[in-house]
Amino acid sequence: MRFGCCVGKPEQLSALERAGADYCELPASRLAGLDDEGFGAWVAALDGSPVPARAANGFLPGQVRLTGPEPTTISEQDAYVAGCLDRLRRLGVERLVFGSGTARAVPAGFEREKALEQLAAFMRRASAAATERGITLVLEPLRRAESNVFNSVAEGAEFLRRGACGSTRLLADLFHMMEEGEPMTVLEESRDLLSHVHVADGHARRAPGTQDYDFDSFFRHLATAGYEGRCSIECGWGDFDAEVGPGLQFIRSSAARVANEG
């Protein structure tokens, strides 16, 4: 397994390099909205970095609405997706996380099944556009405080198995799973779809090793599922430079401990 961290600005890369991260995960919609100079700063920071960009999250800004009686037009959705994906490909991204709770939320009073059809149609188009650029689109289940659709790994897996979402795969986020009380066994049950992993620690969503989540259990179930992909820290930081190294070491040690059990 490879271990990395979500970053929000180029200046954080130096701390990740010192911490020995395998890769970084970028803020997709933020990158899509930058002018050429701002995007160029990311290009320059990542050029030759030992911490390459291999994943991105925050796919859609809230103003791109996918559901409801008056969603953002398909042409506008697709234009945004193409521009975002082109920038991510330029930076080397291979996994694009589709969380975007506001963009995908089902409006009050709107027929849920119709919203799901809209979401499936979007994922078909977005996953096809991503695949053309060597990127895999990955659906992220979010806790109910952040979205009212796809709130568990099981729900996301069931939806993807309907076969209407193109090549979209699935993410498991330890924080969202714990907040929703989802059993770890779902990791084995969704092994055929699992393509990316996020972690944070405790109800406050802090750095790994600072709260009370059972990371060994999480990595044990991932190992049983045969998952060997990437695992990104996505959390709130008190002091990024000081905390990211111990956080990465903590999850590496937990995964190694589990591996040694076998």
Side-chain angles (χ1 to χ4, degrees), residues 1-6 13 15-25 46 49-55 92 94 196 228-233 244-245 248-249 251-252 255:
M1 195 178 300
R2 288 153 292 174
F3 300 96
C5 184
C6 300
L13 291 175
L16 277 191
E17 292 171 2
R18 292 193 299 272
D22 296 317
Y23 68 94
C24 66
E25 183 164 331
L46 287 163
S49 173
V51 182
R54 292 294 178 259
E94 297 173 353
H196 197 50
E228 296 179 343
R230 296 187 179 94
C231 174
S232 298
I233 298 175
V244 67
L248 284 165
Q249 180 56 44
I251 58 176
R252 278 203 176 101

Side-chain angles (χ1 to χ4, degrees), residues 45-247:
L46 287 163
D47 185 29
S49 173
V51 182
R54 292 294 178 259
N57 62 64
F59 183 16
L60 302 171
Q63 63 266 30
V64 176
R65 301 306 299 264
L66 304 179
T67 62
E70 296 182 354
T72 301
T73 66
I74 288 176
S75 61
E76 289 175 319
Q77 291 178 19
D78 291 352
Y80 170 83
V81 167
C84 181
L85 287 171
D86 284 344
R87 284 195 160 181
L88 296 180
R89 176 175 58 180
R90 170 71 178 82
L91 296 174
V93 168
E94 297 173 353
R95 294 288 185 275
L96 173 55
V97 177
F98 173 34
S100 308
T102 299
R104 80 188 196 199
V106 181
F110 189 73
E111 184 183 348
R112 188 174 183 85
E113 199 58 36
K114 175 62 176 176
L116 291 176
E117 291 172 4
Q118 291 173 317
L119 290 168
F122 171 77
M123 282 187 259
R124 284 195 300 273
R125 299 194 315 275
S127 65
T131 299
E132 290 174 359
R133 296 163 172 83
I135 298 171
T136 299
L137 184 67
V138 184
L139 175 62
E140 179 180 25
L142 300 172
R143 59 179 178 155
R144 278 170 282 189
E146 296 176 45
S147 185
N148 62 2
V149 63
F150 309 137
N151 301 126
S152 68
V153 175
E155 181 188 356
E158 188 277 332
F159 184 72
L160 294 179
R161 288 195 181 105
R162 294 185 187 182
C165 300
S167 57
T168 307
R169 308 298 285 177
L170 187 65
L171 178 145
D173 184 303
L174 175 61
F175 171 73
H176 295 303
M177 290 176 65
M178 294 295 289
E179 289 291 291
E180 293 298 319
E182 190 166 22
M184 296 292 175
T185 52
V186 75
L187 298 172
E188 291 103 293
E189 294 163 2
S190 59
R191 71 179 74 202
D192 57 316
L193 293 166
L194 200 58
S195 188
H196 197 50
V197 168
H198 283 167
V199 294
D201 201 349
H203 181 73
R205 203 174 192 174
R206 306 304 295 181
T210 63
Q211 305 294 311
D212 58 1
Y213 280 176
D214 187 350
F215 281 79
D216 283 12
S217 177
F218 183 67
F219 286 120
R220 190 173 293 116
H221 284 279
L222 285 175
T224 301
Y227 181 76
E228 296 179 343
R230 296 187 179 94
C231 174
S232 298
I233 298 175
E234 183 188 31
C235 70
W237 302 95
D239 183 332
F240 181 85
D241 287 4
E243 295 173 7
V244 67

